[in-house]
Amino acid sequence: NYDWAEKIYQTTKEKTDWFVENYHDDPDWVNGWGHNYVCDKCGESLTFNRESPRDQVCKVCGHHNTGDKQNNVWNSMYRNQANGSVHNAAILYKLTGDAKYLEHIKKVLQFYLENYERLKCWSPHPKFLGRISGIHLTDAGDLISLLTGMTIVRDELDETFIRELGEKFFIPAAKYLKPFVYYINNIPVWEACAVAMVALFYGLDDLLEWAFKSEYGLINQLEQGITKEKFWYEGSVHYHFYCIAPLTNLYYYMTAMDCQADYVKQMGETLLQMHIMPAELAFENGILPNPNDGWPFLSLAEYAGSYDTMNACFDHPMLKWVCANVYDGRTAKLERTGAPAKSEGGMQRLLFGLNPAEYDRYARPYVGTKLWEDTNFCMLRDGGIEVFLKYGLMTESHSHDDIMNMEISAFGDVISFDLSSNGYGNFLFGEWQRITLSHVTVVADMQNHTKKNRGKCLFFDEKTNHVIAKAEDVYPNIDFTRDQQLGGGKLKDIFTAEDKTGQSHIYDYTFYCKGELEYDFTATPCEPLGDQEGYQHLLNPAKYTTDEDIVLKFVQPDKETKLTIKGEKGTTLYIFKSYMQSINNQRWGIILRREGQAKTVYEVEYEFTKK
């Protein structure tokens, strides 16, 4: 009855039909590491083309990537999509009764039945090596897709075929994953979920209990792997939802199969809170702060399917608000370039989505200024301005060297944002996106932050939108304190960097923003600021030295961000452009440098104005 539903159905059918008609796999294909799927020339993420297996053309710069690195990833992506087509074919078979979908499912499963022991994979380290599609993490996703599809059509499959698949593929694959569930991390979450699904499907109670109750099973992953506010401990929005994905699928799977184990209810209640927390964290426009590793430019729309599935399980107003606002442009699903795109959703919306006629019923539950103290996150909100502060780290895993980093949204537009990461195989990841200089914080002695530790909230007042946070020993003996207060369209930012031993340093305060940079002083072109730690990527730098206040603006067509920097003797301002997710995408940035001081205090007032 809805255009979007017809489009989802037709798109799913067209993609699945392509695999029904063209599916071919080869046990001699070497499957590679997904993060290598980037352009060798410009660093942009490549776009998968299922009909071009040995020539990966970059859509940005046009370079033809023909090496084994990218081609092996193509093999993995093809195999992943073929496995996903089993799930979709099962749904299409139920909808249409067309036997071609059932035959396709059998064909894919037969490939694994005959070839599982022969499959070839490559990974960046032996500890990640998989047996199906490159690394054992993606193996887990493959098992989940295949088993979900099999469950839907189980009554149509021969029991001998099912048993053989268990003996020669699924159970050996689950046992292969078990040794990798040895620590608290997003990877073991996926693998324990895959093992649990194999155990459920084949009625292996001991294996199911292991998946949940072993030392690093799902119960302990959820008890030890999340903060008190129910955010994944790696401090990344992407990895938070990456953990949620298999857990949500498993939870729905277990409830649909009427599994009555006590830990099912426990997992569901935790998952509900894990969905609510990032919905509270999101900026007004649904875009998410993006600290630490992940993919660039994330919004709630990126995770719409997870919210649709949870909304089918729980009646909660925050879930309803998300599900009513992640489609058809109300909350944009951002392209890898940051450009907004209209999302009409996928199979989860078709299966579980809200009635569009009811969308206007669901407003966002009130979320104002909020502190997530155990997660070391704070969001100040006032008058259409939102300021996100990350003042500490919980682990080195997937963390960036950026304690006291902030992001800003003004009038529904995220104007100063964390780049996150766009692939670990990308040269920009190690040279720019992950390091301190590419973030909005302070750099000492032109070096990355050396200690990754939790910060402290010294003061927080929700009513006055005021937070003071401290991080100790960001560098040896150097403490950071950031005092931020938002109100009346202005952010007062007081950033103190102090060496407790009295040793002097070079301190660089950084800021990046959308818009064109405007100022009424003369900045003189200068030599590159350095050749490492990201300074080599500051493009066409210019400098201005003064003891007086500095005023400059980042100007956009509909608004401007004015910075008034309190003067201090010996301050040098550097202006430059720098990279975002590739060398072709750039933005303006500034550095405020002070040298020869043990302690410095930066006082910057940000004023946000609509035109």
Side-chain angles (χ1 to χ4, degrees):
N1 297 326
Y2 294 97
D3 288 343
W4 61 265
E6 178 70 13
K7 287 178 182 178
I8 291 171
Y9 174 77
Q10 290 297 340
T11 299
T12 302
K13 186 176 184 303
E14 288 168 10
K15 290 181 178 179
T16 308
D17 284 350
W18 188 92
F19 276 102
V20 170
E21 296 164 10
N22 298 283
Y23 173 72
H24 169 74
D25 206 335
D26 189 329
D28 289 328
W29 284 354
V30 178
N31 278 236
W33 186 46
H35 287 287
N36 277 340
Y37 210 53
V38 294
C39 178
D40 285 332
K41 185 176 181 180
C42 75
E44 183 62 79
S45 298
L46 296 173
T47 301
F48 176 73
N49 181 349
R50 65 193 178 192
E51 299 186 49
S52 182
R54 300 297 170 255
D55 185 10
Q56 320 301 313
V57 182
C58 178
K59 287 191 174 181
V60 175
C61 72
H63 179 66
H64 289 254
N65 296 269
T66 58
D68 286 344
K69 182 175 75 171
Q70 290 89 350
N71 291 339
N72 290 347
V73 181
W74 186 95
N75 295 338
S76 297
M77 297 179 78
Y78 178 93
R79 190 169 284 169
N80 288 150
Q81 290 198 6
N83 294 336
S85 75
V86 168
H87 179 200
N88 290 334
I91 294 171
L92 290 168
Y93 175 72
K94 287 292 186 179
L95 290 172
T96 67
D98 193 329
K100 71 179 183 181
Y101 296 116
L102 186 61
E103 292 308 308
H104 173 65
I105 293 168
K106 293 177 181 178
K107 185 177 181 180
V108 176
L109 293 172
Q110 187 69 35
F111 172 79
Y112 292 112
L113 181 61
E114 295 175 358
N115 298 296
Y116 175 62
E117 298 294 339
R118 299 172 54 202
L119 302 181
K120 300 175 181 178
C121 296
W122 178 94
S123 78
H125 190 282
K127 68 180 180 179
F128 298 121
L129 188 63
R131 293 291 300 275
I132 302 173
S133 58
I135 60 175
H136 48 75
L137 171 59
T138 56
D139 284 8
D142 293 320
L143 293 178
I144 290 169
S145 293
L146 294 168
L147 279 165
T148 305
M150 280 183 66
T151 302
I152 294 170
V153 297
R154 180 167 187 161
D155 291 345
E156 306 290 337
L157 299 175
D158 182 79
E159 282 299 322
T160 300
F161 181 54
I162 291 173
R163 186 176 64 252
E164 281 190 298
L165 277 166
E167 293 171 354
K168 296 181 180 179
F169 173 49
F170 283 110
I171 296 173
K175 289 181 178 178
Y176 181 81
L177 295 179
K178 284 182 66 177
F180 300 109
V181 183
Y182 65 91
Y183 62 124
I184 303 297
N185 187 265
N186 67 87
I187 295 174
V189 169
W190 274 85
E191 289 158 345
C193 285
V195 171
M197 288 190 69
V198 172
L200 278 163
F201 188 91
Y202 284 99
L204 305 174
D205 292 342
D206 290 346
L207 190 61
L208 181 62
E209 184 156 320
W210 178 90
F212 275 89
K213 296 185 177 181
S214 60
E215 183 178 4
Y216 297 103
L218 294 173
I219 291 174
N220 282 338
Q221 291 286 345
L222 288 177
E223 286 184 353
Q224 300 175 34
I226 55 177
T227 66
K228 293 176 182 177
E229 294 93 11
K230 309 303 182 186
F231 196 75
W232 186 248
Y233 81 103
E234 290 173 289
S236 158
V237 168
H238 165 76
Y239 280 101
H240 177 81
F241 279 105
Y242 195 64
C243 288
I244 279 177
L247 289 164
T248 302
N249 188 84
L250 176 62
Y251 178 70
Y252 187 85
Y253 188 90
M254 295 182 77
T255 55
M257 294 183 71
D258 197 31
C259 182
Q260 298 293 324
D262 56 357
Y263 44 72
V264 177
K265 181 179 180 181
Q266 179 182 348
M267 181 170 71
E269 291 171 350
T270 300
L271 275 174
L272 174 62
Q273 296 305 315
M274 290 178 76
H275 282 80
I276 292 171
M277 190 276 189
E280 294 178 336
L281 181 67
F283 292 117
E284 175 186 331
N285 59 3
I287 307 302
L288 289 156
N290 205 2
N292 301 310
D293 279 352
W295 295 106
F297 305 117
L298 299 179
S299 77
L300 288 170
E302 188 78 26
Y303 310 105
S306 187
Y307 280 96
D308 281 329
T309 305
M310 286 304 290
N311 189 52
C313 302
F314 293 95
D315 182 13
H316 192 281
M318 187 63 83
L319 296 179
K320 293 284 192 296
W321 170 74
V322 174
C323 293
N325 283 278
V326 288
Y327 298 118
D328 306 326
R330 288 180 297 274
T331 289
K333 182 176 181 179
L334 302 180
E335 303 285 357
R336 287 288 180 253
T337 61
K342 184 178 178 181
S343 173
E344 293 183 320
M347 188 54 72
Q348 291 97 330
R349 185 187 187 193
L350 194 62
L351 295 175
F352 307 126
L354 292 174
N355 183 342
E358 299 180 353
Y359 282 167
D360 291 342
R361 290 177 51 191
Y362 303 112
R364 188 184 194 183
Y366 174 75
V367 182
T369 287
K370 193 172 181 69
L371 176 72
W372 297 271
E373 189 168 6
D374 194 46
T375 313
N376 284 191
F377 288 173
C378 181
M379 181 73 82
L380 305 179
R381 292 183 169 103
D382 183 76
I385 311 301
E386 300 169 283
V387 179
F388 170 74
L389 176 66
K390 173 190 124 180
Y391 58 88
L393 295 165
M394 292 165 281
T395 176
E396 290 193 14
S397 176
H398 289 299
S399 65
H400 286 191
D401 303 327
D402 65 334
I403 291 175
M404 292 295 176
N405 182 47
M406 76 167 172
E407 301 182 51
I408 301 173
S409 177
F411 314 115
D413 179 22
V414 183
I415 59 173
S416 183
F417 48 84
D418 195 315
L419 301 177
S420 194
S421 318
N422 63 314
Y424 307 140
N426 188 331
F427 68 91
L428 283 176
F429 169 68
E431 294 182 18
W432 181 244
Q433 293 168 338
R434 190 173 190 174
I435 65 174
T436 305
L437 187 65
S438 69
H439 297 84
V440 180
T441 182
V442 166
V443 184
D445 299 325
M446 303 175 69
Q447 299 293 313
N448 289 323
H449 294 169
T450 57
K451 190 171 183 181
K452 301 179 179 181
N453 59 348
R454 286 180 176 268
K456 299 177 182 178
C457 181
L458 303 181
F459 176 82
F460 175 72
D461 186 1
E462 178 183 354
K463 294 181 180 179
T464 59
N465 308 306
H466 191 183
V467 64
I468 305 173
K470 183 174 184 177
E472 297 178 337
D473 297 310
V474 180
Y475 300 89
N477 300 313
I478 298 177
D479 294 348
F480 285 175
T481 304
R482 197 158 199 172
D483 181 337
Q484 295 187 321
Q485 186 167 17
L486 180 65
K490 297 180 180 180
L491 170 68
K492 294 181 180 179
D493 184 39
I494 303 173
F495 199 128
T496 303
E498 180 177 12
D499 187 308
K500 293 171 285 191
T501 67
Q503 183 177 343
S504 61
H505 299 274
I506 299 171
Y507 291 116
D508 288 341
Y509 175 106
T510 63
F511 182 68
Y512 303 88
C513 193
K514 285 183 179 179
E516 292 301 314
L517 195 53
E518 295 184 2
Y519 45 87
D520 59 5
F521 49 83
T522 300
T524 306
C526 62
E527 294 296 317
L529 275 67
D531 58 5
Q532 59 183 354
E533 304 290 18
Y535 285 89
Q536 72 273 27
H537 294 309
L538 304 183
L539 308 175
N540 302 316
K543 70 177 183 178
Y544 171 64
T545 301
T546 181
D547 299 341
E548 305 300 321
D549 290 358
I550 301 172
V551 178
L552 50 84
K553 298 178 181 179
F554 291 86
V555 180
Q556 298 174 254
D558 60 341
K559 58 183 163 300
E560 65 180 34
T561 303
K562 177 182 175 182
L563 276 66
T564 302
I565 302 155
K566 185 176 180 180
E568 183 173 314
K569 186 176 181 180
T571 299
T572 299
L573 170 72
Y574 293 94
I575 62 174
F576 48 85
K577 277 197 168 182
S578 64
Y579 302 135
M580 291 194 292
Q581 81 284 358
S582 78
I583 63 175
N584 300 295
N585 299 93
Q586 301 169 9
R587 61 179 175 177
W588 284 104
I590 66 167
I591 287 175
L592 298 167
R593 173 168 290 181
R594 293 175 185 161
E595 301 185 45
Q597 301 180 33
K599 177 182 178 181
T600 190
V601 180
Y602 293 97
E603 295 188 40
V604 183
E605 180 181 86
Y606 296 81
E607 184 175 2
F608 309 95
T609 309
K610 282 186 178 180
K611 289 186 178 180

